[in-house]
Amino acid sequence: MTETYQSFQLALYCTAGCLNKSEEQLAEEMAFFFRHLKVGKVYIENHRGDTSLSRERLEELKAFFLSLGLEVAGGITPTLGTSYRPGYERILGGICYTDEASRARLREAAETAAAVFDEVILDDFFFTNCTCDDCRTRKGERSWEEFRLALMAEVSENVIIRPAKAVNPNVKVIIKYPNWNESFASAGYNTEQQPTLFDGIYTGTETRDPAISQQHIPRYASYSLMRWMENLDPGRNGGGWFDAYDCTYTDYYLEQANLTAFSKARELTLFCYHLLLDHPYVPALGFQLDKLDDVTARLGEPIGALVYKPHHARGEDHLYDLLGMAGIPLELTPFFPDASKSARTLLLSAPAAADEAILEKLKGYLQEGGHAVMTSGFVSAMAERGITELVPIQLTGASLTAEQYALETGICSFQEFYPASRSIRYPVLDFGTNATWQEIVAWQGPTNFPILLSNPYGRGKIYTLVIPEHPADLLHLPEAVITRIRSVFTEGLLPFRLIGPGDAGVFAYDNSRFVLESFAPHTSTWKVQVPPGTELHQLTPVKNAPPLRETAVLADGLREYAIQLPPSTYAVYEWADSSSRSTK
């Protein structure tokens, strides 16, 4: 029996093309992984593009990996070579599912895998981008999104699941969803129907280096997508899967492991065998996973401000991930929450407007005493749908730049003024003075314009957050402005206040603990204020950084602590009553 981690299982995905080796060579290569990692499971792929493995070869490989004490499952990458549907370009080998020959080839791959394995996972190429004559005819008057969502639900059932279970009634077929969640519907990933068809789901947590990747996915997405998937289908999200592609720095690769583990993933899958064999990332990953195994054992269930992102919805792509990188703990969900069961603030960005009943749902949430934050993108999407029934706010169509900010009014005048490190452009909102209150403004010349507005509604409160034209500029706001925005999301959720710059991830849990991870490229310092009678304790050390230290007891009894973190490091903290403390 191989040594395993206690808080999660580690799996290694083996592509079909990398397993054409003798058992002696495979044993020698696996020794490298065992030297550095506590691998407990392998996925053996039987099909990818033009490469397929026979049932006999799969049986041999299965017996070999079982002899090493590993759990063994199957895998399929649903791509086909250019000999299928010739004459039509298909990005990344995506399959044309109106072509019977293509469907038959994938059906055969599913049957072969199910004949050998009791668990089979589909790598995240289970989509279609084909626009051939047949696809255009079948599409008819529907949008491409409507056509592909319906098509891929049908393919899931009739090409993958039914054929696999006809061969092996006990097989569990798992669909892995990719990291590019904002575009699922455009390629047919149907998160509304497919989870009810498959035996489980899995989550891609690859974020790599957003600056150079064509997917440009913010780093916080390694956490946020895991949480959306867990809330989509509680208990059936098998784990997170990441790779080493386009990771400019080792830290970027390891950060994917950190955030996947912080999301409380049950399993971490490494893609893939041939990519990681003799790779310098592997020893570093082994060191990191040993620490994460201990860290995640100390953490309860994740909590955060709620983010409502319905199925198939788009707009203000990955804005919530940028807010997450500003030190705001978030919990994404495809379902609108019940205010009577939650004291958490709710974020509504542009995707929430895809819910045709969103305005009435929001009114009900506020009437029950809930707090919500809507973005300028949501306001724009709701401009013709009655948003002014809720708040006297609308976009003017103009935009302005600013380098100065003000907050905290006395009676009329703002009391605090802060410069930014760069000029930032915003859309300008019109609002009803004294029906709406300006919490934060951008200041330009003789006037100002709103950045954060608030309105009471029923027993609740709704904020409007104006998003820069380049949303990543949120991370460059003055520290006091970021701190004020954070407080809107965490009030009533966390008993402490994080003060300081962006480029921080706060991962909070229901056992009075949180992780603070630095996304900054340099050493940064934050302050944490806790209420009277509460103490803050650091549970894990950070190399080359001073430990947590109390710096002040403020006039109102708040205790203030200083945290300093080098780039891409993290630590676990606990808030506790001054008379008690847990160090487990």
Side-chain angles (χ1 to χ4, degrees):
M1 188 68 181
T2 59
E3 187 179 7
T4 59
Y5 300 102
Q6 301 304 304
S7 299
F8 46 79
Q9 175 156 262
L10 183 67
L12 182 63
Y13 191 90
C14 308
T15 57
C18 74
L19 296 174
N20 186 24
K21 302 172 182 178
S22 67
E23 288 192 5
E24 291 75 14
Q25 185 176 357
L26 288 172
E28 182 179 334
E29 292 175 351
M30 282 302 298
F32 167 76
F33 292 107
F34 287 137
R35 191 177 307 124
H36 301 291
L37 303 170
K38 298 172 184 176
V39 179
K41 181 178 181 179
V42 293
Y43 290 96
I44 302 172
E45 183 181 81
N46 71 297
H47 174 87
R48 174 179 292 255
D50 289 326
T51 302
S52 296
L53 301 184
S54 68
R55 177 173 176 176
E56 292 71 27
R57 180 54 177 158
L58 293 176
E59 293 283 10
E60 293 172 355
L61 291 166
K62 178 181 177 181
F64 167 74
F65 284 110
L66 285 173
S67 74
L68 299 181
L70 299 173
E71 292 184 32
V72 180
I76 298 171
T77 294
T79 55
L80 290 173
T82 55
S83 61
Y84 289 85
R85 268 296 189 238
Y88 298 100
E89 181 179 357
R90 293 173 287 111
I91 299 170
L92 296 174
I95 294 176
C96 170
Y97 289 104
T98 62
D99 175 50
E100 187 50 46
S102 299
R103 290 167 68 100
R105 184 67 193 88
L106 185 58
R107 187 183 300 115
E108 180 185 357
E111 291 168 342
T112 301
V116 179
F117 305 106
D118 287 333
E119 178 185 352
V120 178
I121 191 169
L122 298 181
D123 191 1
D124 59 12
F125 287 78
F126 190 46
F127 60 85
T128 184
N129 48 49
C130 186
T131 58
C132 72
D133 294 346
D134 287 343
C135 284
R136 295 199 313 276
T137 299
R138 288 270 299 275
K139 169 183 168 293
E141 297 301 314
R142 291 177 290 180
S143 68
W144 280 110
E145 180 177 299
E146 291 169 335
F147 165 63
R148 289 170 175 167
L149 286 172
L151 176 64
M152 294 311 295
E154 181 272 326
V155 170
S156 298
E157 189 166 14
N158 295 324
V159 178
I160 301 293
I161 298 170
R162 285 183 177 176
K165 290 185 181 289
V167 172
N168 178 2
N170 296 320
V171 70
K172 294 182 178 179
V173 187
I174 312 299
I175 181 171
K176 181 216 167 188
Y177 286 98
N179 52 347
W180 35 275
N181 60 306
E182 300 286 12
S183 302
F184 279 176
S186 64
Y189 271 113
N190 193 329
T191 55
E192 196 166 17
Q193 290 182 271
Q194 286 173 323
T196 67
L197 301 173
F198 285 90
D199 298 294
I201 61 176
Y202 218 91
T203 306
T205 58
E206 313 96 323
T207 49
R208 309 175 181 125
D209 183 346
I212 65 170
S213 169
Q214 60 94 10
Q215 295 177 332
H216 57 84
I217 297 170
R219 290 146 66 187
Y220 187 83
S222 292
Y223 177 87
S224 67
L225 183 54
M226 278 291 298
R227 297 309 307 160
W228 190 88
M229 287 290 181
E230 182 63 30
N231 289 317
L232 163 66
D233 204 356
R236 297 178 72 236
N237 181 18
W241 163 318
F242 55 92
D243 61 36
Y245 291 120
D246 301 327
C247 293
T248 306
Y249 309 104
T250 304
D251 284 343
Y252 281 9
Y253 178 66
L254 300 180
E255 188 176 85
Q256 296 175 126
N258 292 353
L259 271 63
T260 305
F262 294 159
S263 74
K264 301 308 294 278
R266 300 167 183 83
E267 182 176 279
L268 277 63
T269 291
L270 307 180
F271 186 91
C272 64
Y273 183 100
H274 78 272
L275 177 65
L276 294 175
L277 182 63
D278 292 327
H279 200 297
Y281 285 173
V282 172
L285 177 63
F287 175 76
Q288 192 82 328
L289 290 177
D290 283 339
K291 293 195 298 180
L292 286 169
D293 192 28
D294 172 67
V295 164
T296 53
R298 299 173 181 232
L299 305 175
E301 290 302 309
I303 59 174
L306 296 170
V307 180
Y308 177 45
K309 188 177 188 302
H311 295 285
H312 320 317
R314 288 204 67 174
E316 293 186 308
D317 287 1
H318 292 290
L319 173 60
Y320 45 82
D321 287 322
L322 295 170
L323 291 169
M325 292 182 68
I328 300 169
L330 299 173
E331 182 78 354
L332 275 67
T333 175
F335 307 113
F336 193 89
D338 184 343
S340 65
K341 298 178 181 178
S342 173
R344 291 181 275 179
T345 297
L346 171 65
L347 172 64
L348 299 174
S349 56
D355 184 339
E356 294 182 0
I358 186 60
L359 191 62
E360 292 307 311
K361 290 179 180 179
L362 178 55
K363 288 179 180 178
Y365 191 83
L366 296 169
Q367 288 164 4
E368 288 289 333
H371 284 201
V373 179
M374 59 182 183
T375 65
S376 46
F378 178 80
V379 172
S380 177
M382 297 295 294
E384 304 299 324
R385 293 170 54 190
I387 190 66
T388 54
E389 296 176 20
L390 193 67
V391 291
I393 294 172
Q394 57 187 353
L395 279 99
T396 64
S399 65
L400 291 171
T401 60
E403 297 179 4
Q404 301 282 336
Y405 297 83
L407 60 155
E408 303 300 339
T409 55
I411 297 175
C412 293
S413 300
F414 287 95
Q415 305 295 303
E416 300 177 16
F417 298 86
Y418 301 95
S421 60
R422 63 177 63 186
S423 180
I424 300 175
R425 180 172 291 276
Y426 296 90
V428 178
L429 270 64
D430 183 42
F431 64 96
T433 299
N434 289 336
T436 298
W437 195 254
Q438 292 193 104
E439 305 280 349
I440 302 172
V441 297
W443 176 33
Q444 186 193 69
T447 188
N448 62 63
F449 55 93
I451 301 300
L452 181 67
L453 300 164
S454 66
N455 291 81
Y457 191 93
R459 290 188 291 273
K461 192 170 189 177
I462 186 163
Y463 294 88
T464 303
L465 178 62
V466 182
I467 305 302
E469 288 190 356
H470 181 35
D473 281 338
L474 285 166
L475 301 178
H476 299 287
L477 290 169
E479 292 184 13
V481 175
I482 290 178
T483 298
R484 177 70 185 97
I485 293 172
R486 272 192 208 117
S487 68
V488 169
F489 287 92
T490 59
E491 184 179 358
L493 173 69
L494 301 176
F496 63 85
R497 188 178 188 221
L498 181 70
I499 300 171
D503 284 324
V506 174
F507 307 95
Y509 301 87
D510 64 0
N511 62 342
S512 301
R513 292 175 179 176
F514 71 95
V515 177
L516 180 65
E517 169 145 352
S518 174
F519 295 118
H522 48 72
T523 296
S524 299
T525 301
W526 293 267
K527 294 179 181 178
V528 179
Q529 292 178 348
V530 298
T534 303
E535 294 179 348
L536 193 66
H537 303 283
Q538 183 172 343
L539 303 185
T540 60
V542 180
K543 191 174 180 63
N544 299 325
L548 176 76
R549 59 190 175 89
E550 186 173 353
T551 56
V553 177
L554 305 179
D556 52 7
L558 294 174
R559 303 176 76 162
E560 189 170 86
Y561 296 81
I563 296 174
Q564 186 180 97
L565 293 176
S568 299
T569 59
Y570 68 86
V572 181
Y573 303 89
E574 178 182 59
W575 66 90
D577 185 88
S578 299
S579 61
S580 65
R581 177 190 174 191
S582 169
T583 58
K584 294 182 180 180

